[in-house]
Amino acid sequence: MMRITLFSLSVLGASAYVWPSPKLDALESLRFNQDGHNSGAITVFIEPCGRYLFDGPNVLNSKTGRSDVADWVRTAYHDMATHNVADGTGGLDASIRFAEESLRAENIGDGFNNTFQALRTIANRYVSLADSLALGTIVAIENCGGPEIAFRGGRVDATEPNAPGVPEPQQDLDSHIAAFARQGFTQTEMISLVACGHTFGGVQHAAFPDTVPEINDPNNTQSAAHFDSTFTHFDNNVAIEYMSDTTQNPLVVGLNDTTNSDKRIFGSDGNVTMKSFADSPELFVSTCADLIARMLDTVPREVELTEIITPLRVKPQGIVLSLAGDTLKLSGEVRLWNTTADPQRTVRLLWDDHLGGTGNATLTASGVSSAVAGRYNASWYTFSPDPTNPPDGLVLLLNASAGITSMRFVVDGTLEDQGGVGFAVQDGVVYSETSCSISQASPSPWRMDVAVRDGFNPTRAFLERMSTDSTGRITILETDIARPAQPVAVNADYSIWSINVNGTDAVGTVFYSIGYEVDGVKFAGSNTHFSGGLASCAV
Ligand code: HEM
Ligand SMILES: *[C@@H]1O[C@H](CO)[C@@H](O)[C@H](O)[C@H]1NC(C)=O
Ligand SMILES: *[C@@H]1O[C@H](CO)[C@@H](O)[C@H](O)[C@H]1NC(C)=O
Ligand SMILES: *[C@@H]1O[C@H](CO)[C@@H](O)[C@H](O)[C@H]1NC(C)=O
Ligand SMILES: *[C@@H]1O[C@H](CO)[C@@H](O)[C@H](O)[C@H]1NC(C)=O
Ligand SMILES: *[C@@H]1O[C@H](CO)[C@@H](O)[C@H](O)[C@H]1NC(C)=O
Ligand SMILES: *[C@@H]1O[C@H](CO)[C@@H](O)[C@H](O)[C@H]1NC(C)=O
Ligand SMILES: *[C@@H]1O[C@H](CO)[C@@H](O)[C@H](O)[C@H]1NC(C)=O
Ligand SMILES: *[C@@H]1O[C@H](CO)[C@@H](O)[C@H](O)[C@H]1NC(C)=O
Ligand SMILES: *[C@@H]1O[C@H](CO)[C@@H](O)[C@H](O)[C@H]1NC(C)=O
């Protein structure tokens, strides 16, 4: 088990990877675009911190006594708790999504299913359900009063349930110590990790009717007996209230002592650890940041996690190219980390082309985002020359012959080019606006045209569509786009490959992307954002 030391984003140096790197880019975006512009995939579920999925999106003060934050933190622990340090099996791998695992007595409650309903909207082709669970847990804790937590990506979703092994409240102290030891945690770490988790949420009547009675409170309709008085907020009240004997924690003061597991665990070192947490919020915060990170990084032995994901200082996002006649349309944005809106700032895009030339454009401020409960801001600039004037004002028009090979940015006169390597852009295979509607049938079939740059020579090109396999993992379905027997030139520099696309697939939220392979290396293309309104194909 890897040790993660406490860190602060503010002391980290230069970016850890070079853009573009699709998986790291996607992990970084989910990690650091938490609120505001281009964000929200995670925070929509946890702002405010008392939000509960089943209250609907507009309920600010949940009356259920439940919260998504508590569900997610408990889910992360229960999913991890199957880990066995001796043989490297189990760990945080989203195996708890399988009914066989979630229906075990040790996983009583509906919190796991609740959590996966949210995670399925967060995960994507680059971010597994398990990474989404880890990241959801981190973003939740960070935004609900807790510390920054180091995040690594790369978790792999299990294809079957793990062996049982989650501790239960009626078990004795020795079995809890043994269970945490199997998971890779000492007795002191067990005390700490339980306190770090039980700062959120509580015990529900439905799951534990013998521990928690019906509460009959209109503000707590699911009768959840909370572990501390601030159950949607990360803080050391769980320890303060325990040490001052005012706690209502149902696993401490429950009438049936057999299920008072927190009482046995918290007291198991003579209260030394709990007293230190009650006395020092800083110690509680730093201990939890370390242990939660370790909990989330406890994965099956064969899984290799990435380095800690740190924010890219200058990061392009949503780069899309399409071909229209002799013109390449370029859209996208760039994010400047740790900056706020500043009307005096000038941001310019320079792009290098295939002919040794350079184009340039002044970018327009498009929004501000923030992360870690507002501790970090970022400002965004769009490539759109005239954002108020769609559709033509939304794209930069490039000469298709010259094309584009890479980008650089100049922020208030300072060149940002990733230390000289630039931000590479691939214009070898792009969506072509000669794509057209085949007939008016409903759902309407259409022809997608892909423009392939002469001399680029991909070995294959394919349509990509996101799907899920039988175990719920996100997969990409590929359909080859046939190379035409004779090149069909669309201009002096590109020829067209075509594929007929089923109308049903084009409806709704399914975005196609175009992938291709060059010299045995596979590239995922940018989204095509097909949104209807195609002209009819000429007959
Ligand atoms: C011996 C170890 C543990 C035992 C016996 C235990 C027991 C319990 C029980 C009985 C509940 C009530 C669940 C329900 O009513 O649905 C609960 C809730 C919870 N547990 Fe633990 N727990 C342990 C360790 C942990 C750890 C290590 C964490 C996280 C770091 C954690 C996080 C949570 C959270 C956040 C809730 C609240 C869930 C909600 O309100 O929806 N627990 N725990
Ligand atoms: C963030 O910006 C502030 C103000 O410009 C600066 O003082 C601070 O050092 C920056 N932090 C990082 C991590 O770059
Ligand atoms: C969770 O969902 C699965 C199917 O997704 C279902 O089979 C199972 O019964 C659910 N478990 C609970 C506790 O609701
Ligand atoms: C429920 O909460 C509201 C505030 O959200 C409070 O005014 C009211 O008194 C509470 N009701 C009970 C029964 O505690
Ligand atoms: C206390 O809880 C245990 C475990 O759930 C149960 O076996 C026992 O019957 C309970 N005792 C009483 C007096 O209810
Ligand atoms: C721990 O502290 C609590 C609160 O003061 C007390 O009730 C309990 O007896 C103590 N437990 C041990 C093992 O010292
Ligand atoms: C920007 O592009 C224009 C032509 O569009 C050119 O005249 C100008 O010299 C360029 N400026 C820079 C700094 O490259
Ligand atoms: C982030 O932006 C908000 C709003 O402009 C500002 O109040 C806050 O101080 C900024 N935070 C940082 C760390 O710059
Ligand atoms: C595009 O660039 C090529 C090569 O420099 C040039 O021959 C052509 O005239 C340009 N097209 C337009 C529309 O400017
Ligand atoms: C369109 O549907 C047909 C029949 O269901 C299928 O064989 C074909 O693969 C589909 N095409 C694409 C591009 O998905």
Side-chain angles (χ1 to χ4, degrees):
M1 176 50 44
M2 188 170 359
R3 281 256 164 200
I4 316 286
T5 48
L6 187 66
F7 83 118
S8 164
L9 300 178
S10 57
V11 300
L12 291 169
S15 54
Y17 71 93
V18 172
W19 186 98
S21 173
K23 189 179 176 78
L24 292 171
D25 293 339
L27 290 164
E28 197 263 15
S29 287
L30 264 184
R31 172 77 185 91
F32 293 112
N33 304 337
Q34 294 181 3
D35 285 286
H37 195 65
N38 281 335
S39 66
I42 294 176
T43 48
V44 68
F45 294 103
I46 56 163
E47 289 179 354
C49 294
R51 175 155 282 167
Y52 184 55
L53 190 59
F54 301 95
D55 287 332
N58 299 316
V59 178
L60 293 186
N61 294 299
S62 169
K63 305 270 186 231
T64 54
R66 303 284 301 277
S67 71
D68 295 334
V69 173
D71 276 349
W72 294 5
V73 174
R74 179 171 179 243
T75 300
Y77 174 63
H78 281 231
D79 191 49
M80 181 286 290
T82 59
H83 186 65
N84 184 326
V85 281
D87 63 14
T89 59
L92 202 100
D93 59 4
S95 63
I96 203 166
R97 75 187 186 281
F98 293 109
E100 181 190 330
E101 188 167 326
S102 72
L103 293 177
R104 289 174 188 153
E106 66 188 33
N107 290 323
I108 186 133
D110 58 11
F112 311 109
N113 273 18
N114 296 352
T115 300
F116 277 90
Q117 289 195 35
L119 296 183
R120 285 193 188 94
T121 74
I122 295 170
N124 61 47
R125 63 184 295 185
Y126 300 116
V127 182
S128 64
L129 289 163
D131 273 349
S132 303
L133 176 56
L135 204 39
T137 301
I138 285 173
V139 173
I141 293 173
E142 286 179 349
N143 284 279
C144 297
E148 278 172 35
I149 298 171
F151 171 70
R152 297 168 190 269
R155 290 167 196 76
V156 176
D157 292 337
T159 54
E160 56 186 19
N162 283 331
V166 184
E168 297 181 70
Q170 78 284 359
Q171 293 164 339
D172 63 15
L173 180 63
D174 285 346
S175 60
H176 286 154
I177 293 171
F180 276 82
R182 173 185 39 76
Q183 295 157 18
F185 297 92
T186 65
Q187 181 178 346
T188 304
E189 289 167 347
M190 168 184 74
I191 299 167
S192 305
L193 202 54
V194 172
C196 298
H198 289 179
T199 183
F200 291 114
V203 180
Q204 285 128 51
H205 169 74
F208 293 90
D210 297 336
T211 308
V212 179
E214 289 258 34
I215 294 176
N216 291 317
D217 177 348
N219 287 341
N220 188 348
T221 56
Q222 294 199 12
S223 295
H226 297 124
F227 296 124
D228 72 10
S229 56
T230 49
F231 54 89
T232 63
H233 192 78
F234 178 97
D235 58 28
N236 64 340
N237 278 342
V238 62
I240 291 175
E241 291 168 14
Y242 168 78
M243 287 310 298
S244 64
D245 259 337
T246 58
T247 186
Q248 303 291 307
N249 180 337
L251 300 181
V252 174
V253 296
L255 290 179
N256 183 341
D257 219 31
T258 307
T259 48
N260 280 334
S261 52
D262 280 7
K263 178 179 164 185
R264 286 187 292 275
I265 289 169
F266 292 167
S268 68
D269 64 354
N271 283 338
V272 170
T273 301
M274 290 304 278
K275 180 170 189 315
S276 71
F277 289 159
D279 291 346
S280 170
E282 295 77 18
L283 180 68
F284 183 68
V285 158
S286 61
T287 305
C288 293
D290 182 17
L291 286 175
I292 297 276
R294 270 184 56 204
M295 172 179 102
L296 300 175
D297 291 349
T298 298
V299 294
R301 180 179 285 164
E302 65 276 10
V303 174
E304 200 179 318
L305 298 178
T306 67
E307 292 298 299
I308 293 170
I309 306 282
T310 57
L312 283 195
R313 219 156 46 78
V314 174
K315 187 187 187 194
Q317 178 155 317
I319 304 301
V320 178
L321 276 173
S322 59
L323 184 72
D326 288 334
T327 302
L328 268 177
K329 294 181 175 176
L330 171 65
S331 58
E333 284 185 278
V334 63
R335 187 198 71 195
L336 306 181
W337 182 252
N338 192 33
T339 65
T340 46
D342 178 357
Q344 305 304 315
R345 183 184 298 124
T346 59
V347 180
R348 294 164 67 76
L349 165 66
L350 307 181
W351 65 89
D352 296 328
D353 64 33
H354 293 276
L355 306 176
T358 298
N360 68 84
T362 299
L363 307 187
T364 309
S366 51
V368 174
S369 62
S370 70
V372 196
R375 267 176 267 179
Y376 302 94
N377 285 327
S379 53
W380 294 75
Y381 290 80
T382 175
F383 297 4
S384 306
D386 184 2
T388 59
N389 188 21
D392 294 343
L394 297 182
V395 292
L396 281 172
L397 304 178
L398 317 187
N399 179 323
S401 292
I404 178 170
T405 56
S406 80
M407 304 185 292
R408 292 169 281 146
F409 300 90
V410 180
V411 180
D412 282 342
T414 302
L415 180 66
E416 297 288 357
D417 63 356
Q418 297 198 102
V421 300
F423 296 86
V425 177
Q426 191 54 265
D427 66 0
V429 179
V430 299
Y431 176 79
S432 168
E433 294 195 359
T434 55
S435 298
C436 57
S437 163
I438 292 170
S439 83
Q440 295 307 307
S442 177
S444 62
W446 58 291
R447 188 187 81 207
M448 184 194 279
D449 287 348
V450 171
V452 180
R453 195 172 181 87
D454 296 346
F456 186 65
N457 297 329
T459 44
R460 59 184 280 252
F462 47 91
L463 201 59
E464 300 176 318
R465 185 159 59 89
M466 213 165 91
S467 185
T468 47
D469 71 9
S470 60
T471 73
R473 292 184 305 174
I474 291 172
T475 56
I476 296 298
L477 301 180
E478 295 179 1
T479 310
D480 268 76
I481 304 173
R483 179 196 299 268
Q486 296 295 322
V488 183
V490 63
N491 62 28
D493 301 277
Y494 282 88
S495 51
I496 295 290
W497 299 17
S498 300
I499 183 168
N500 289 348
V501 179
N502 297 319
T504 42
D505 293 344
V507 173
T509 57
V510 178
F511 283 163
Y512 288 105
S513 51
I514 303 162
Y516 48 90
E517 219 171 283
V518 186
D519 296 333
V521 181
K522 228 187 223 189
F523 293 87
S526 56
N527 281 346
T528 60
H529 295 295
F530 170 75
S531 57
L534 291 176
S536 293
C537 302
V539 265

